[in-house]
Amino acid sequence: MAPTVITACSVRDIRFPTSLERDGSDAMNKAPDYSCPYVVLTTDVVGVEGHGITFTVGKGNEIVCHAVRVLSKMVVGQKVNEIYSDFGKFWQTLTSEDQMRWLGPEKGVMHLAVAAVVNALWDLWAKIEGKPLWKLLADMEPEKLVSTIDFRYMHDVLTPEEAIEMLKKSQDGKQEREAEMLAKGYPCYTTSCGWLGYEDEKIERLCREALEEGFTRFKAKVGADIEDDRRRCRLIRKLIGPNNILLVDANQRWEVQQAIDWMKELADSKITWIEEPTSPDDILGHLQIAKALNPLGIGVATGEQCQNRIMFKQFLKSGAMQFCQIDSCRLGGVNENLAVILMAHKFGVPVCPHAGGVGLCELVQHLSIFDYICVSGSLENRMTEYLDHLHQHFKAPCVVREGNYIPPQAAGYSVDMKESSLNDYEWPTGRVWQDLIASGKYTAE
C-alpha cells in the first residue's frame, strides 16, 4: 500500500465577537474577540484529514493565518509515516528554517503558526490510529514518545535518556490510572465566574451555578483596582465557602513590587495562586514575587504566554513558578508541551494547563489526562482550566461532569469545528460578521 501523503494545507480566519458580552475581559485584555486560525491538512486518502488550531484574541489573527500559509509549503507533499517516524526532527525543521527562524526564534507569531500546523499533524496521527490523542500518547512506548520531542537547549536539565527512564518508572499503576480517568475524569477549575467586566449580580449567579454543577475550584481576574479586587475576592470567597479553592489572575498587569504589595492586600481571601503577576518574560521577577508570597501560602502560576520550552526550563529550575501552566497553542504544539510536562515532573512542579479561548479546553484536556496516566501519577495540586464558552461550535466538545474533564472518546485532537460555525464566523465574510458590520457594531478593517 502506498504511504499517505499530505496534499494540501488550508487555513481559515475564524473569529467570535466575545467582546460584546465582555467574555474574556481582564486587566490587560479589555475587549477580546476569541479567534483561531483553523487549519486542515488534506491527504491523498479520501476522508483522512488533520484539523488544528492556534489561539488569538481578534486583530492579528490574519497575520498568524498568513504565517500558516508560509509554513504549509514545508508540510504539503510530506509522507505522514516519515513525519511520525521521527517527529522530533520534523518539528525541528518547522522551527529552524534559516530565514523564518529569524522571526523568532521559536516564539511569537511564527510559533503560534507552528502550533496550529503541529496540532493538526497530531490530530491526523490520532485519527489514523483510531484513538483520541490522550490514548495515542498513553499507548506509546517511552522511546517512541521521547522521539517526538526536540531536546535542543534542554540537556542541562533533561536528556532523552532521562525522559525515557522517567516514563518507564511511571508504567506501574498506569492501567489503574487510565481506568480512574475514564470513571471520574480530570479535575478542572472554572474561570467563567470571575471576568473583570462582570457585574456583582452576574458573578453571584455564575458562582451559584458552578457550585451546583460540582465545581470546587474558582478563578477571578484582578489587577485593575485594588479596592475593587479586595471586594470581589471577598465576595467570591463568601459565595464559594472557606474550603473551596480560589485562584486569581492579573494577566501581566503589575510591576514586581506592585504585585507583591497588591497580593498581600488580597491574602485574607485565602488565595492558592497569583497567575501572571508581571511580564511573562520576567523570570527573575516571578522568582522575587514567589519568594515574597510563598510564605503567605500563595504560589506563583504562569506559562500561558511563556514562549517556549527554554523559558519554561528557567522558570522551573529557578523556582520562579509553583504551578506550571502549559498552553496547547502558545508552545509549538503537542511535542513541545510534552517536553515541558516532563521537565515539570523532574522539578516536582504540578502542571495546571491554561485553557478557555477557542478550543483550548478541547485540546488541553488530552495533555492533562496523559500527564496523570503516564508521567505525574498524581492529582495533588493539579487542575486544568475550564471556561464555558464556544464549545457548541465543535463536533466533539469537551465534557465536564462534577468539576472534572471526562476523557474524550472520539479519535483525534477534538477540534473539528462544525461547517456551519466555520461559515458563520469566518472573518469578515461570515454571516455573523456581515450582520454585525451592517449594524455598525464592527468595521471590516
Side-chain angles (χ1 to χ4, degrees):
M1 182 180 294
T4 303
V5 176
I6 296 171
T7 56
C9 174
S10 65
V11 60
R12 298 173 72 172
D13 185 342
I14 306 301
R15 309 186 195 184
F16 297 89
T18 50
S19 61
L20 295 178
E21 299 296 327
R22 302 297 294 270
D23 295 336
S25 56
D26 57 52
M28 192 63 72
N29 305 286
K30 296 180 174 59
D33 287 320
Y34 281 177
S35 307
C36 67
Y38 187 80
V39 174
V40 177
L41 299 177
T42 306
T43 72
D44 57 353
V45 178
V46 176
V48 178
E49 296 180 342
H51 295 230
I53 64 169
T54 192
F55 174 65
T56 79
V57 292
K59 294 177 182 177
N61 205 53
E62 62 187 296
I63 300 173
V64 185
C65 287
H66 182 70
V68 169
R69 294 185 187 102
V70 173
L71 286 173
S72 69
K73 298 171 186 177
M74 303 173 69
V75 180
V76 174
Q78 295 289 330
K79 298 174 182 178
V80 298
N81 63 324
E82 292 181 1
I83 292 174
Y84 302 139
S85 66
D86 194 350
F87 207 165
K89 182 178 179 180
F90 184 78
W91 188 92
Q92 191 176 125
T93 67
L94 288 178
T95 60
S96 301
E97 197 281 332
D98 292 358
Q99 296 181 4
M100 287 192 291
R101 186 177 187 275
W102 188 263
L103 301 178
E106 298 181 42
K107 62 176 70 72
V109 167
M110 290 308 301
H111 220 44
L112 291 171
V114 166
V117 173
V118 168
N119 287 338
L121 284 169
W122 279 95
D123 180 69
L124 176 61
W125 193 359
K127 287 174 179 172
I128 290 172
E129 296 295 327
K131 299 177 181 180
L133 181 90
W134 67 265
K135 182 63 172 170
L136 174 70
L137 294 172
D139 287 349
M140 278 188 192
E141 292 297 322
E143 292 84 358
K144 180 63 175 178
L145 188 135
V146 168
S147 76
T148 70
I149 299 171
D150 181 0
F151 279 84
R152 286 179 304 171
Y153 316 123
M154 287 171 49
H155 284 79
D156 54 320
V157 299
L158 185 68
T159 65
E161 294 75 19
E162 286 179 287
I164 290 169
E165 186 61 26
M166 190 181 296
L167 290 165
K168 286 182 175 178
K169 286 182 178 178
S170 298
Q171 294 292 306
D172 289 344
K174 179 178 165 182
Q175 291 183 337
E176 290 79 5
R177 291 192 294 274
E178 181 174 331
E180 179 187 355
M181 285 292 96
L182 290 169
K184 298 179 180 178
Y186 195 94
C188 57
Y189 68 87
T190 178
T191 305
S192 299
C193 307
W195 294 114
L196 205 58
Y198 287 176
E199 299 294 333
D200 284 2
E201 293 77 12
K202 188 169 185 177
I203 293 173
E204 292 177 12
R205 174 176 59 79
L206 292 173
C207 280
R208 285 194 299 270
E209 291 175 357
L211 287 166
E212 291 171 359
E213 292 167 4
F215 283 96
T216 60
R217 303 165 180 87
F218 299 77
K219 188 168 81 178
K221 299 292 184 173
V222 296
D225 179 87
I226 182 63
E227 294 301 324
D228 186 57
D229 285 351
R230 188 185 293 113
R231 180 189 58 78
R232 290 169 65 252
C233 285
R234 288 174 177 172
L235 170 64
I236 295 173
R237 172 53 70 193
K238 181 179 179 181
L239 289 166
I240 68 175
N243 297 321
N244 286 329
I245 291 173
L246 177 58
L247 321 163
V248 295
D249 183 357
N251 291 94
Q252 317 157 31
R253 182 64 182 264
W254 300 320
E255 298 293 324
V256 171
Q257 189 58 48
Q258 184 184 18
I260 294 168
D261 295 341
W262 201 296
M263 286 307 301
K264 286 181 177 178
E265 293 293 317
L266 304 183
D268 63 351
S269 291
K270 191 183 173 185
I271 291 165
T272 297
W273 79 44
I274 170 59
E275 180 177 335
E276 285 200 316
T278 191
S279 165
D281 298 339
D282 189 356
I283 297 165
L284 294 179
H286 279 81
L287 178 58
Q288 185 177 340
I289 294 167
K291 287 180 176 178
L293 297 182
N294 288 174
L296 301 177
I298 301 173
V300 170
T302 193
E304 71 178 82
Q305 297 206 43
C306 184
Q307 301 284 350
N308 49 53
R309 67 201 179 285
I310 299 99
M311 289 188 67
F312 268 109
K313 177 185 75 173
Q314 296 170 72
F315 273 110
L316 292 164
K317 188 175 181 180
S318 67
M321 62 163 57
Q322 286 69 60
F323 299 92
C324 177
Q325 294 182 302
I326 58 172
D327 182 281
S328 52
C329 295
R330 174 67 58 177
L331 294 178
V334 175
N335 313 57
E336 195 167 26
N337 273 295
L338 293 175
V340 176
I341 287 170
L342 290 167
M343 282 194 292
H345 182 59
K346 179 172 180 177
F347 288 104
V349 176
V351 175
C352 300
H354 168 251
V358 180
L360 297 186
C361 296
E362 277 70 23
L363 291 171
V364 84
Q365 59 180 334
H366 291 269
L367 301 180
S368 289
I369 293 164
F370 159 77
D371 180 25
Y372 177 61
I373 293 172
C374 297
V375 184
S376 73
S378 172
L379 295 177
E380 184 178 1
N381 290 326
R382 286 166 169 83
M383 62 198 98
T384 299
E385 188 168 23
Y386 172 74
L387 278 78
D388 189 16
H389 297 306
L390 307 177
H391 304 297
Q392 68 273 23
H393 299 291
F394 294 91
K395 293 180 180 178
C398 63
V399 175
V400 170
R401 187 166 62 233
E402 292 296 318
N404 295 281
Y405 278 106
I406 304 303
Q409 295 302 300
Y413 203 4
S414 301
V415 289
D416 287 36
M417 292 184 72
K418 298 175 182 177
E419 192 63 31
S420 59
S421 294
L422 293 170
N423 291 334
D424 284 348
Y425 291 94
E426 186 164 10
W427 173 266
T429 57
R431 179 189 59 81
V432 170
W433 288 113
Q434 285 294 299
D435 289 347
L436 288 169
I437 291 167
S439 70
K441 293 181 179 179
Y442 277 84
T443 58
E445 299 175 344

